[in-house]
Structures are given as structure tokens and as C-alpha cells.
Amino acid sequence: MVILELEKITAGYGMGPDILNGISVRFEAGLIHCLIGPNGAGKSTLLRVIAGLLRLRSGRVLLDGKVISGMRPDQILALGACLIPQDRCLFPDMTVRENLLMGAYIERDRRQISRRMEEVLALFPEIQRKLDQRAGALSGGEQQMVAIARGLMIQPRVMMLDEPSLGLAPLVVDRIFEAIRHLKERGITIIIVEQNVRKGLAYADWGYVLDMGRLSFEGPAPEVIRDPRLQELYLGRLALANPEVRA
Ligand SMILES: Nc1ncnc2c1ncn2[C@@H]1O[C@H](COP(=O)(O)OP(=O)(O)OP(=O)(O)O)[C@@H](O)[C@H]1O
Ligand SMILES: [Mg+2]
């Protein structure tokens, strides 16, 4: 069953050129999807469009068959599509607990909130011990966990993660991806943008390769990782950036 669908999306920043060029993508409910592609391909832009942070020039976005493009970011969040941005956007001077509570700001029922807090902390025992520390004092991995945990406080149905492994040590990256796998087991649909192509596709069910604002190709993750077009794309870009590589 398709949960999220992008239909012929065109989008760009300000008066600038189109960054997404009529791209159509469908995401199946309950799967882990991984978006990869060279720098500047438009991966983050695609997530921003879904989250309502960037207005479309044409096309539409549907969640459960309902048009969400044109809605405000908070409305889209309330419908269950949550974005964990690349810079994580924590409140560094607030405690971990306060950060988590900010994630539940649309929920009024206090018992609900404390129940969710317990659930979220069960997924990340590491941060349970640090609830009263400043978020800014945590390690990069712990901050990523808090960012994901905060997103979970609204009980999203679709969670989008922009480069969750960025700047983290390999062991910590594995920990984050294991947690993401748990989210899938809870029935949450996952969309990950990942520079770490091998790692991202190893945990994903389905892979999408973006290039210059278009969908280059897609397929089951194990097939995408073996696809010669993938190497061509990355090596081709590398050769353009470093002319000496071409020789
Ligand atoms: N806020 C912005 N204002 C203007 N242009 C932007 C903005 N953000 C991104 N762009 C441009 O849009 C294009 C796509 O950027 P985007 O961040 O979506 O790429 P990406 O695939 O996520 O790349 P990366 O792998 O480097 O994160 C780039 O050319 C970038 O310069
Ligand atoms: Mg990006």
C-alpha cells in the first residue's frame, strides 16, 4: 500500500532555478526507503517539500491519498509526517527532557505525554540517564538519538531522516540504524537520505537514486547497491570534480 506519493514535483528556492524537475516517487507503507545521489541532487529539498518547508512550483504530494502540498509544516506534522533535519535542530540550552517535551507540544493529555516519553526512552536507554543534561552537552550520537526521540513524541506514521549518520563514528552509526529498524517494526514508514550509500542501502528495503532533481532509477535496495549505474553516477561526478581522475 502506498502511504506517501509525490506527483511530478517541481520546486526551487526563491527566484532560483528548479531544483526538483518534475519528479514522481511513491513510498510503500511500513518499509525503509533510502534516497541516495550526488551532492546537490535535491535529496534534502525533496524531504523539505514533503514536510511543507518549501512550496511546490507544480505537482502535488499525497499522504494516504490526501493532498498535503500547500499545507503548513505544523499541519503536515499533525498528520503524521515528521522530518529530522540534517542539523538535528535541537535546543542546545534546554535539557534532553525539555527537548523531548517540545516534540509533544501538540499533545495536551499529560498522561499520554508521559506514556510516550517512556516508550521513546525504552528505544534509547542511552538518553534516559541524561534527561536532565543540556542537549548541547551530549555527544553527536546522543544528540541524533534525542532528535529521533523528539520526532517520535508525536507518534509519526512517516519519519524522514536527513543524513542521520553524518559526523558519527561507525559503531554509533550502527546503533542509529538499529534504532531505525525498530521503528520499522513498530510500523513506521521510514525515508532516509544517506551519504553513506552502503550503510543506508544495507538497512533499507527500497532504494531511490536521485540525480539533478530527477529520479535516475529505483529498486529493491540489494539490487540498487549492485547496479552499475550507481557507480557510474558517483564516479562520473567525481571525474567532473577532479579532472585528473578522468585520465
Ligand atoms: N536554502 C537554499 N537556497 C537556495 N538554494 C538552495 C538552498 N538549499 C539548497 N539549495 C540548492 O539546491 C540544490 C539541491 O540541494 P539539496 O540540499 O537538496 O541537495 P542534496 O541532494 O541534499 O545534497 P547534499 O548531498 O549535499 O546534502 C543545490 O544546488 C543547492 O545549492
Ligand atoms: Mg542534503
Side-chain angles (χ1 to χ4, degrees):
M1 192 191 80
V2 174
I3 185 165
L4 184 67
E5 184 167 7
L6 280 69
E7 283 181 358
K8 298 188 182 141
I9 300 293
T10 305
Y13 297 90
M15 306 288 280
D18 290 345
I19 300 297
L20 299 176
N21 293 296
I23 188 169
S24 296
V25 193
R26 304 172 101 193
F27 300 99
E28 287 280 322
L31 296 188
I32 299 182
H33 310 82
C34 184
L35 263 57
I36 58 174
N39 293 121
K43 305 179 297 293
S44 299
T45 302
L46 186 79
L47 297 189
R48 280 184 211 125
V49 159
I50 298 171
L53 298 169
L54 181 65
R55 204 172 280 277
L56 304 189
R57 289 175 179 167
S58 63
R60 21 181 235 168
V61 181
L62 298 104
L63 181 65
D64 288 323
K66 185 177 175 214
V67 178
I68 59 165
S69 33
M71 289 187 183
R72 293 192 314 266
D74 60 303
Q75 293 173 314
I76 294 172
L77 189 64
L79 289 174
C82 165
L83 169 64
I84 316 287
Q86 188 174 312
D87 56 15
R88 292 159 199 160
C89 287
L90 294 180
F91 301 97
D93 291 323
M94 289 167 67
T95 65
V96 169
R97 186 193 312 277
E98 287 164 342
N99 269 277
L100 295 182
L101 291 174
M102 290 299 282
Y105 75 100
I106 45 181
E107 178 62 58
R108 296 259 169 264
D109 183 342
R110 295 186 63 167
R111 265 182 319 176
Q112 231 351 314
I113 293 175
S114 59
R115 196 176 314 134
R116 282 189 203 169
M117 182 93 97
E118 270 173 39
E119 278 177 22
V120 159
L121 290 173
L123 187 65
F124 295 114
E126 294 95 330
I127 57 175
Q128 172 113 45
R129 295 187 294 271
K130 309 214 165 172
L131 279 176
D132 296 313
Q133 293 190 19
R134 277 179 60 244
L138 269 52
S139 72
E142 288 163 346
Q143 290 192 21
Q144 183 61 265
M145 291 179 205
V146 175
I148 295 174
R150 186 180 60 182
L152 287 173
M153 291 294 288
I154 60 138
Q155 296 194 305
R157 297 165 52 238
V158 177
M159 187 169 245
M160 300 176 270
L161 300 113
D162 198 349
E163 307 212 8
S165 76
L166 198 75
L168 305 183
L171 272 178
V172 183
V173 172
D174 285 336
R175 174 73 188 92
I176 298 289
F177 274 99
E178 286 300 331
I180 292 171
R181 193 172 265 168
H182 275 289
L183 302 183
K184 175 190 169 178
E185 283 162 15
R186 291 184 182 191
I188 302 176
T189 304
I190 311 283
I191 305 173
I192 307 172
V193 162
E194 196 41 79
Q195 289 284 353
N196 190 337
V197 170
R198 275 185 191 285
K199 185 67 76 183
L201 288 173
Y203 279 88
D205 299 295
W206 201 262
Y208 302 84
V209 182
L210 262 63
D211 185 28
M212 307 212 291
R214 293 196 169 84
L215 183 63
S216 177
F217 64 99
E218 64 178 293
E223 288 178 22
V224 170
I225 193 83
R226 286 196 303 267
D227 198 301
R229 283 174 290 180
L230 188 63
Q231 290 201 359
E232 221 168 88
L233 191 64
Y234 279 90
L235 290 176
R237 281 306 126 78
L238 207 63
L240 282 177
N242 309 287
E244 67 275 17
V245 175
R246 236 179 299 175

